[in-house]
Amino acid sequence: MLDESLLDAPEALAEADRRALLRGAAEAGARVRTAARHATEAGVHDLKPDGRPRAILIAGPGAAAICVADLLGTLAGATSPVTRLAPTGVAPAGGALRWELPGWAGSVDLLLIATPDGTEPGLSLLAEQAYRRGCTVVAVGPAGSPLTEAVHNNHGLFVPMATAPYDEDIPLAASAPGVLWALLTPLLALLDRTGVLAAPPDAVQKVADRLDHIAERCGPAVATYSNPAKTLAAELADALPLVWTEGVSAGPAGRRFAAALAELSGHPSLVAELPEALSAHSALLAGRLAASADPDDFFRDRVEEPAALHARVVLLRDRPIGGLTAAPAARDLALSHDTPISELEPEPGGELETLAELIAVTDFAAVYLALTSRA
């Protein structure tokens, strides 16, 4: 259940926000600028790489590292394969996780470590293993953490994670908006320097500006009727979101949205890319989750009975209408089953800017759902 009265009560939202999620979303642009400065101070822009790495390996715990790997792999394309090293262990706690390099990893490969914690022994061991194999190691994590010393001892490059004062007092959620941008930004600068992807300083600055713009549009003081993030949160209350994405960059944004919904608000969702989503979810839309599944539902007494869970399509697109697109077919499929549809399409801009906008709006929506949901 969603308490919609909270959406337009900024003071109540602030009081409910014990994890500083709204603040992290609002300060995403500032976090990008701080992270870019940390990358410069660490010497990323002074590097003189011999060429592109053969492969890029990414390790780190939780949803943040998964999203970073997904985004970098999408932006890099086929220039250098990006592989996330999945951890093993008996529990999701940092001390129980271990990472292993693939057998083929060597001196022509690059290991990236991204963590908002930095105390994981497994990541320090991984840095040592990479050094013995001849891999170049670059890590982003909290300054002064055990990982800092491990990377320096193994001749790697460590970039301090951009943090805010309140991060020290509040346990960080891996899907928190500030965490993502703090980890991702220095790695964008690094891979731009190595020629893997295009993320020059002016493009990173535009990302920060776009995030500031979204914070103005989606902030808690902006009323629901003109706030796309609050509107989306209200539309997804008591619904199962079917997140359909179209365009290369929209894919990671959709998967990030699903992860944020699960971790921040406990809201389930399903993600698929168009046009495959039309066949993957067609049976689901024709089943009991469709709004038209129970013709007697309108006359049912809901006073003592919880509302039925129905699907709602969320279409995330990073391409303008007019080209080759499956969006009309997606709308037709949803509406043919009386399934409502929400659409998000960013304003024109570079690939990084449009990707940042999709992530920012959906991050705000996930946060609003987390703050206004009640049992």
Side-chain angles (χ1 to χ4, degrees), residues 207-245:
V207 167
D209 293 342
R210 182 67 67 97
L211 291 172
D212 287 345
H213 175 61
I214 297 304
E216 293 174 0
R217 291 179 57 206
C218 299
V222 181
T224 300
Y225 68 85
S226 59
N227 187 321
K230 287 184 178 180
T231 300
L232 181 58
E235 291 171 344
L236 294 183
D238 306 319
L240 174 66
L242 303 183
V243 184
W244 294 353
T245 66

Side-chain angles (χ1 to χ4, degrees), residues 19-336:
R19 292 179 290 175
L21 297 175
L22 267 179
R23 193 169 179 179
E27 296 177 355
R31 196 76 65 114
V32 167
R33 295 185 184 91
T34 303
R37 186 177 72 250
H38 286 184
T40 300
E41 293 170 351
V44 168
H45 296 291
D46 298 327
L47 297 175
K48 296 179 173 61
D50 295 330
R52 291 193 187 114
R54 176 184 64 178
I56 300 168
L57 306 169
I58 300 181
I66 294 173
C67 185
V68 166
D70 195 6
L71 288 166
L72 292 180
T74 298
L75 293 170
T79 56
S80 292
V82 176
T83 302
R84 176 181 174 261
L85 302 180
T88 58
V90 296
L97 297 177
R98 292 293 182 271
W99 288 263
E100 291 290 336
L101 290 175
W104 49 262
S107 59
V108 292
D109 302 313
L110 171 63
L111 172 65
L112 305 178
I113 298 176
T115 173
D117 187 344
T119 64
E120 305 91 346
L123 290 178
S124 297
L125 293 173
L126 180 67
E128 297 174 8
Q129 182 186 13
Y131 174 65
R132 292 195 301 269
R133 294 272 200 95
C135 295
T136 301
V137 181
V138 178
V140 182
S145 63
L147 181 63
T148 308
E149 183 178 0
V151 172
H152 286 156
N153 289 344
N154 290 284
H155 305 280
L157 175 66
F158 185 87
V159 181
M161 176 181 168
T163 58
Y166 52 83
D167 287 344
E168 300 176 3
D169 304 321
I170 302 171
L172 291 175
S175 294
V179 172
L180 170 65
W181 295 110
L183 296 177
L184 178 65
T185 304
L187 299 181
L188 287 174
L190 173 73
L191 296 187
D192 174 75
R193 190 66 182 170
T194 58
V196 172
L197 51 80
D202 61 327
V204 173
Q205 178 60 45
K206 289 180 179 178
V207 167
D209 293 342
R210 182 67 67 97
L211 291 172
D212 287 345
H213 175 61
I214 297 304
E216 293 174 0
R217 291 179 57 206
C218 299
V222 181
T224 300
Y225 68 85
S226 59
N227 187 321
K230 287 184 178 180
T231 300
L232 181 58
E235 291 171 344
L236 294 183
D238 306 319
L240 174 66
L242 303 183
V243 184
W244 294 353
T245 66
E246 183 172 58
V248 176
S249 298
R255 291 185 285 273
R256 155 77 181 182
F257 186 32
L261 285 173
E263 182 177 358
L264 302 183
S265 63
H267 208 94
S269 59
L270 297 173
V271 188
E273 297 186 14
L274 291 176
E276 288 86 355
L278 302 180
S279 56
H281 291 167
S282 61
L284 187 151
L285 288 178
R288 59 185 179 85
L289 288 173
S292 60
D294 185 357
D296 297 326
D297 188 61
F298 181 81
F299 301 100
R300 181 171 297 156
D301 183 1
R302 297 180 178 82
V303 175
E304 299 296 336
E305 183 180 343
L309 181 69
H310 292 310
R312 185 183 187 99
V313 171
V314 179
L315 180 57
L316 304 183
R317 307 179 65 230
D318 67 352
R319 62 178 63 170
I321 296 174
L324 183 63
T325 173
R331 297 186 192 104
D332 290 343
L333 177 62
L335 296 177
S336 67

